[in-house]
Amino acid sequence: MLAETGQVHLAAAAARLSVRSAQALRVRSPAFQKGWHVAEQLAVGRLSPIAFDRSINGRIEQIYRDGELVAERRVPSDKLLTWLLARLDPKRFALPWEQRGDADPQAEAAAAFPALLEAITDVVS
């Protein structure tokens, strides 16, 4: 669930844990911690289309006058769009010191995730 949504509270609820219990398990279990990290990397790939949509189409901003909603407008995020472009096409958009040849963390996460899930066992305190 964490890999699908990027939301800890939904993942914890799906596992029938509180967020606090899930975070405590992450501290106690190296395998769980590794799986958590990889799930977050996978979530990035699934959430990036949402980020692109918000950067281009924006979010809805409500305008109130005298406590009454009078209008709504879409506000795109140039800052988010610039950040996304710099990360996805660093040769053209990143600052010189950000241009490096790191491996693709999403591809690494996708390859490692099945084995990490297999390594997780129930942890009893």
Side-chain angles (χ1 to χ4, degrees):
M1 184 60 68
L2 183 58
E4 289 178 14
T5 67
Q7 297 183 45
V8 174
H9 71 281
L10 292 178
R16 298 183 183 169
L17 295 169
S18 68
V19 170
R20 189 176 198 161
S21 295
Q23 290 171 336
L25 180 58
R26 185 173 66 164
V27 171
R28 290 192 320 261
S29 169
F32 189 79
Q33 181 181 27
K34 206 175 223 183
W36 183 304
H37 176 73
V38 170
E40 287 176 328
Q41 289 297 317
L42 291 170
V44 168
R46 291 179 175 93
L47 298 175
S48 61
I50 295 169
F52 268 106
D53 181 65
R54 286 192 185 162
S55 70
I56 297 166
N57 298 315
R59 61 178 171 73
I60 296 175
E61 182 178 274
Q62 296 179 329
I63 302 165
Y64 290 87
R65 188 165 290 129
D66 298 323
E68 187 176 324
L69 178 65
V70 294
E72 291 184 339
R73 66 179 174 191
R74 288 203 163 267
V75 181
S77 175
D78 291 342
K79 186 175 182 176
L80 179 57
L81 182 58
T82 302
W83 185 88
L84 287 166
L85 289 172
R87 295 321 175 267
L88 294 173
D89 192 350
K91 292 205 184 296
R92 293 192 326 171
F93 297 105
L95 297 169
W97 57 85
E98 294 176 323
Q99 296 179 4
R100 56 182 190 259
D102 291 349
D104 180 3
Q106 290 176 19
E108 290 176 353
F113 199 58
L116 291 169
L117 286 177
E118 290 295 322
I120 296 173
T121 58
D122 288 339
V123 175
V124 180
S125 53

